Structures are given as C-alpha cells and as structure tokens.
Amino acid sequence: MFPLLLLLCLPPALAAVDCVNEYRNGYQVRLSIKTALGDQAYDWNESELFLFRATIAFAMRKFTKTEAYEVSNIVVCNQTPRVSFWFIVTSPENPAQAISKNIVEQAVRESRNRINNAFLLTDKSLEFLGIPPTLAAPINPDTPPWLIVFGVVIGAVCAGIVALLIMSFVKRRRGKKAKEVPEEEDQAKGTDKAVTGETFEDRNGVYNLGFADDDRFTQL
Amino acid sequence: MKLQLPNPGLEDRILSHEQLERLEVEEAGDRPKWDNKAQYMLTCVGFCVGLGNVWRFPYLCQSHGGGAFMIPFLILLVLEGVPLLHLEFAIGQRLRKGSLGCWRTVHPYLLGVGLASMCVSLLISLYYNCIIAWIMWYFFNSFQEPLPWSQCPVNANNTGLVSECARSSPVDYFWYRQTLNTTSVIDDTGGLQWWMALCLVSAWAVLYVCCIRGIETTGKAVYVTSTLPYVVLTIFLIRGLTLKGSVDGIKFLFTPDLNELANPSTWLDAGAQVFYSFSLAFGGLISFSSYNSVHNNCEQDAVIISIINAFTSIYAATVIYCIIGFRATERFDDCLNGNILALMNAFDLPEGNVTTDNYDQVVTMFNSTSPDVIQTLHLKTCNLYTFLSEGVEGTGLAFIVFTEAITKMPLSPLWSVLFFIMLFCLGLSSMFGNIEGVLVPLQDLNVFPKKWPKEAITGLTCVVGCLVGLIFVQGSGNYWLALFDTFSGSIPLLIIAFCEMVGVVYIYGIDRFNDDLVFMIGHKPNIFWQVTWRFISPLIMLLILVFYFVTTVTKELSYITWDPDSDNFPTLEEKPYPAWIYAIIFILAGIPSLCVPGAAIFKMIQNHCCKKENEDKTQMVSNVSCQMQDDVSKTNS
C-alpha cells in the first residue's frame, strides 16, 4: 500500500510541477468518509482519487468556461492514511505553471455542491482547508409559518367566544319571556307576599337571612 | 387545651345545618354547581398540577440528593399539604362562598385574608399567562421542519452565522433573541415585542373562552386540559426509554444521597415545594369546593388529590430526566467525537483508529510522545456527570434544555408540538383556579354592578389582565416576570395560609369545625387531622415563613441577565437590582401581606365609629317611643 502511494507521489512525466515547492498555490483536502457514511463507507483508492481529480478539473472548466482542463492538470501529493492530501492545479497550456490560489478557490466554491455529491459527503466531511463553506441562503417564506398557526388558533377562539356569547344572549331572552308570562299572574299575589315577609330570592339566589327568623318580625 | 378566640355573631353570619339541609334538598339558589364529581376532581387536579410539577420538582429532586429528596417531600406532604387542603375544601363546602366571603363570614376582621388571596391571585395570573404566551409562541413555531431553534441563522452577508448565536447556541439564541428579544438590564425596557404581544392576546383569549361562564365552561374544558398532560407524559416516557442514555438520566435523578437530609435547606425547599405545588391560599380551591353538595366527602377528595399531585411530580420528574439523560449523552458523545477528530487531524491517523473506548489510552500515549501538539489541540474534558448535573429549572428547562433535546430526536416537530401542548394544558388548568380566585372575590366585593352578566365581568377582567400583562412582553419582560415570580408568589401566600389555619382552628373554632365535618361527611375527623390542624401544620408554615423571610431579607437582591457584551457570555450574568426596584418589591410582597392586618384595623375603626352611631340611634328610638307613649297616654287620659 505504502510503496504504491510513494509511486503516486512522483509527478508524472508530463506535469513538471513539483507540488512540494508550489505548496502556496495548493490546497489541503481532508476526507472523513467513515465518520460520514458509517457502514456504507467506501475505501479510498486510486479510482476514488481519479474521480476527485476529474471533479476538480470539471470545476475549473465550469469556472473558466473557456479553458479545457484535463485530469492530468490536477496534481496530487502528500497523501496520508487519514485520507488527506494536497493538490495543485496546473494550466492546460503550460503544465509547468500553477494556477493561482484565488481562482482555484472560486472554482471550488462555485461547484462545491457537485463535488460533495460526487463523493456522497458534505462540507464538513470533505474539507478544503482554507476554503470557507458557502452557506445555503436561508429560505424565507413570505408568511412566517407561526403566523399561520396563530391565525388558525385565534380564529377558532374568536368563533368560540362569539358562539358562546350568542347562546347566552338567546338563553337570557328566552328566560325573560318565560318569566314575563307567569309574573303577570303573580303580581296580584305579590303585594301580599311583601306584607307577610316571605323569603325573597335575591338575584344571586342567596338566602336572605334577614327574613329567615320569623320571630324577628314585629307582628302587625 | 382548646383555645378559642371570642367570635360574637358567628351564628348570624353562617347558615345553620338545618338551612344547609333545606338548601340541599330544595336545590334553591342560583349558586353554580358541578355537573358531576369528575369535573370537580379534574378541575382541582388541574389547578394543583401545574408547571411547577414539571420544571421545579425535578430540579429540586436532583439537586437535593435524588431519591433521598422523596423522604422530606413525602413527610411534609402528609404533615403540611394534606391537612391544609382538607381544611380549605371543608371550609368552602361548609360556608358555601368564595374565599373573601368565607373569611368575612368567619370573622369580619379576617376580611384581609380574603383580600390578600385576591391580590396574590391577581398578581400571579398576570405573569402566569405570560408564561402561557411563551409556550404558545413555541407551539406556533413547532409546525415547521427544521425547527427554528435547531440551527443558527445566517448573518447579513451570508458569510457566517450570527455572532450572538455562534458564541452561545441555537436554542439560547432563539429563546433570548428571537422570542424575548431581551435587553441586558431591567432598566432598559426595549419596547413592546409585537409577536409576543400577539401571543399574550391569544393566551388571554383562550382563557376567556374557557372561563366565559365560570365553572359551566371550565368544567367542560378540564376534561381535556387535565388529562392530556398525562397522555403526553406517557408518550414521552415510552419514546424516551428507547433513546440512548435515558436510563443514565433516571439513575442520576434517583440515586439517593442521604447526607442531603442533614441540610436544612433541603427540608425548607421540600416544604415550600409542597406548599406551592398544592396552590393553597389562592382562594381558588375554596371557591371550587363551595360549588359542591354539602355532603360531599371532602376528606377523601383531599387525600386523593394529594396522592395524584405527588404521583404526577414523581412521574414528570422521571420523564424529564429520561430526556435530559438522552441530551447529556448526546452532548458527551459530541464532545468526545470532537476531541477524537482533532486528534486524528493532528496526527493524520486513519479513521477508526481512535474510538471512544481507547480514547484515553491514545491521549496518554500521545501526551508522552508529543505533549506540545496535544497542548495546541485544547482538548475539552468530557464528563457525563457534568452534563447531567447542568441542573436547570423553570423556563430554562422547558425552553432551552428540553427544546435542544427535541431537536436531536427524529421527527422533532411532532415531539415539539406534543411537549408544548402538554405545557399549555398544565398552565391553562392552573389559570382556571387563579382566575376563579380573582373573579369571585371581585363579585363578593360588589366591585361590578349587579346587573352585569358574568360574561362581561370575565371579559373585563381578561382585558385588564392582558393590558397590564403587556409589561412582560417588552424587552425586559423576562426580568419583570422573574421579579413577580420571586416576590408576589412566596411570602404573602405563606402568611395567608398561616392566617387561614389560625382563623379556622382558633377563631371559627375547632369544635364547631369538627361538628360541621360530622354533619357533612358523617364522622368526626380523626386524631391525625386534629393534631395537624391545631399544631403541626401552623408550626411548619410559621417555620417556613420565618426562614423564607430571613433568607430573602438578608440576601442582596440580584438578577441574572443575558448580556452579549459581557465577558462571561454565554454564561448568564448576575447584576444587582436598581434602587427603585425595592419600591416595586414592596408593592408586590408588602401590599398583599399588609392587607391582612390592615383590613382588620380598618374594620375595627369602622366598628368603633358605627357603635357610637348605633348607640345614638337606640337612644333616639327610645326617645321617640317614650314620646309616642306619652302622647297616647295623654290622648287616652
């Protein structure tokens, strides 16, 4: 495994860039595959590295729009068992010249989502050290959802209040009408009642104690 | 040793047993009645079981020695809670009036006790409904995925997270900034937060619709509000037990530490918790009991409700600590994984080399080989016990700790909705009792004209409550609420409860009270009730009152604030109260407490003046009759 890695570190014949010397134009990449995917983690091997180089080439092509980057333009070195390595992008016209860090950063940021998805990873598990992740713009719905729920609840409550008030009002009117009819009959007896001092019922139905004991009354 | 203070005229003020019997048989009177016993029990259970059972008891339990806290709690429940509860039920059922009417009947000088109950109920209603407004706000916000408190919002130019949120946590940020929009000091009002004002209006509106016709409507509402919390707690228990780390939480909660029993503050906190948990001295229980039939077995009711209350406290504590155990384990795992990642990155180790099992060995190995690298990593110490004992109570538990735990559970919006519905029901059912304790005394005092319908009185009270409650929705509202909670709901209640016991046992007369109980439930209350009513419970109340008073007065008054500019941020910063707060504290705690002696003195003066007038009147009458007799004799002769 290790000798294979060492072989990979040797720059291929075509690309004459020594990535150790050009490190200031390169980026370190770190992958945390097992942490992110758990049981479904894949092994990091040559093919995966090839895919990575291809996606970076794709990102550069998409960003620059004109220049035709090849997989060979992406140079990788310093691989570790952690699964981290450095990469440098070289210019397609002049393989000896490295593309500046800024352009690489912008290209990666633009296609970050595509790169992540190619590896089934996220910004946290596929880290480009030094390139800040592009935060997704927050989705701002026109009406905040809480206002909708509030509207529903307050509507139901108001409907309930109105219904109960109407029911009470109707009950009271019916009660009044029922009282008016027998009251006319009672009016004749009413004066007698007042004189002999039988118990009245207060509006609240409290037993009027003042009239409870009959012997308190002076006999007329 | 039966001390009985003189109480002339008591017979005239109360209904005799024969009259009560007649009232019962003829069903005369418009006094509202419970539709059935279940409504009454559910309303009382709902009043007693409140937010304190969920967010105060678990904290006390855990901080005072876990399982060992049950011992002082249960002892004081039996010696203090149950006797007071039975007393309030019995006196309400016997005198058939609300709290103010009851105490005025027992002795006119005790009017102050009823007034104080009403004041305390009013002050507590004001801030309690604001808590319900907060719960409703979280409930409204639970209907979205992902939950708004699960991630920090992005700052203005999309380069990173909002700084205040990144430094603290998404749940803290959502609570302190997006919900309360809290200021850093109580002096700075911060203006009204319109979204909270809307929630406050909705909270009062829901309360109004449930209380609109008194117990006629609340009696129906309690079928839902008193039973739903138990359903939700059970769902959470089942869900919680399937989560990793929940059993650690329960073990942590109940592991007894018997040394705590020697600490007097444990007993004090247990006594206070029993007292406040039963919602005694608010006047609501007396009111509810007065709507019962005269021969209702109030002794049995008191015992049943006490048992239900204690059981609910313990059950809720179990569920809460289940979820807290899960959260602590998640945090511990995150902490450890963060350290492992740092190690792997620094030493370029392949993944899977360092796991939670061999983490300690690996660290020691690297510490011996390359200690300087280890130093630069700033590895955090991860201790499960520390995470578990981040004892939080009150709003911090519900709105920060629990909401964070919910975000880590799959299907979070569902759990969030269930949790906040449960809190809402717990709070609302307690509010029914509070409002009863405000409305009935107001009616007894004839504050409103007689011809106003009940709906209008309730409506006016709710509108006034909502308007005054707007203090709590401004930027500094959280601090005002804590102030009200600490001062209006503590000392006055203890004083009222003490006066209630003294009033019934020594002014109404324990003999008369015993006879009443024989009439109502058929047998004389046994020796346990006699001893607790006469000596033990008043003594315990007095002790708690004295201790509370001493600790409050000697402590320097300070409050904790959320100050993004402070050095210790995100730790809450303790600041001293400004000088004018002392006036507010006096109004909150002093006025209800001073009502008791104040009203007595007022009545005494009134009586004194009236006695003179009465004497003059009798003299006049005798004069007139003398004159008349003289005239008659003159005409006759």
Side-chain angles (χ1 to χ4, degrees), chain A residues 179-188:
Chain A
K179 261 198 205 166
E180 275 169 29
V181 174
E183 249 181 31
E184 289 167 359
E185 298 172 9
D186 278 347
Q187 254 179 12

Side-chain angles (χ1 to χ4, degrees), chain A residues 35-46:
Chain A
T35 323
L37 299 172
D39 289 332
Q40 295 166 339
Y42 47 81
D43 291 323
W44 186 257
N45 53 26
E46 248 317 288

Side-chain angles (χ1 to χ4, degrees), chain B residues 444-568:
Chain B
D444 283 343
L445 284 174
N446 295 327
V447 168
F448 300 107
K450 285 260 182 214
K451 53 187 169 130
W452 280 24
K454 198 168 207 163
E455 291 87 347
I457 297 175
T458 319
L460 185 65
T461 314
C462 286
V463 167
V464 170
C466 190
L467 289 174
V468 178
L470 288 175
I471 337 169
F472 303 114
V473 300
Q474 21 175 34
S476 53
N478 187 27
Y479 308 134
W480 282 97
L481 199 134
L483 187 72
F484 269 63
D485 190 25
T486 318
F487 293 106
S488 71
S490 54
I491 295 188
L493 284 173
L494 292 164
I495 295 179
I496 296 169
F498 181 72
C499 292
E500 283 187 1
M501 296 211 98
V502 167
V504 169
V505 173
Y506 300 112
I507 300 181
Y508 184 77
I510 189 74
D511 290 328
R512 184 187 291 275
F513 194 58
N514 283 334
D515 289 336
D516 288 334
L517 275 159
V518 170
F519 168 69
M520 290 198 292
I521 60 179
H523 60 266
K524 184 175 170 181
N526 59 31
I527 186 76
F528 165 73
W529 301 112
Q530 304 299 324
V531 173
T532 47
W533 281 335
R534 278 188 238 184
F535 312 116
I536 300 184
S537 299
L539 190 65
I540 296 178
M541 303 277 25
L542 196 62
L543 277 173
I544 297 179
L545 175 62
V546 167
F547 271 118
Y548 240 65
F549 193 72
V550 167
T551 45
T552 314
V553 165
T554 53
K555 206 169 44 172
E556 207 226 289
L557 296 172
S558 64
Y559 64 113
I560 43 175
T561 64
W562 175 261
D563 191 355
D565 301 322
S566 87
D567 304 320
N568 294 334

Side-chain angles (χ1 to χ4, degrees), chain B residues 54-64 252-253 320-321 324-325 327-328 331 384-398 400-402 560 572:
Chain B
V54 166
W55 70 32
R56 176 95 179 127
F57 179 79
Y59 167 74
L60 285 177
C61 201
Q62 172 260 312
S63 63
H64 284 297
F252 177 73
L253 173 71
I320 295 285
Y321 265 84
I324 286 188
R327 170 186 173 265
R331 279 204 149 184
L384 184 62
Y385 185 81
T386 325
F387 288 123
L388 279 171
S389 55
E390 270 172 5
V392 220
E393 54 160 337
T395 52
L397 175 68
I400 298 180
V401 171
F402 216 83
I560 43 175
L572 297 166

Side-chain angles (χ1 to χ4, degrees), chain A residues 30 32-35 81-82 84 135 145-146 149-150 154 157 161 164-165 167-168 172 203-205 207 209, chain B residues 23 29-30 137 140-141 143-144 160 195 198 202 205-206 208-209 212-213 344-345 349-351 450 453 455:
Chain A
R30 199 151 60 197
S32 311
I33 309 171
K34 288 215 182 75
T35 323
R82 169 73 181 79
S84 75
L135 298 165
W146 74 265
V149 186
F150 167 76
I154 206 94
V157 167
I161 293 177
L164 283 169
L165 286 174
M167 268 167 38
S168 317
R172 205 162 289 136
R203 185 169 283 267
N204 292 335
Y207 236 71
L209 297 172
Chain B
L23 212 69
D30 292 339
W137 163 256
F140 294 152
N141 273 295
F143 287 91
Q144 44 187 300
W195 58 93
L198 282 182
S202 63
V206 173
Y208 180 54
V209 87
I212 195 166
R213 282 198 228 141
M344 282 199 307
N345 288 347
L349 305 164
E351 288 182 281
K450 285 260 182 214
E455 291 87 347

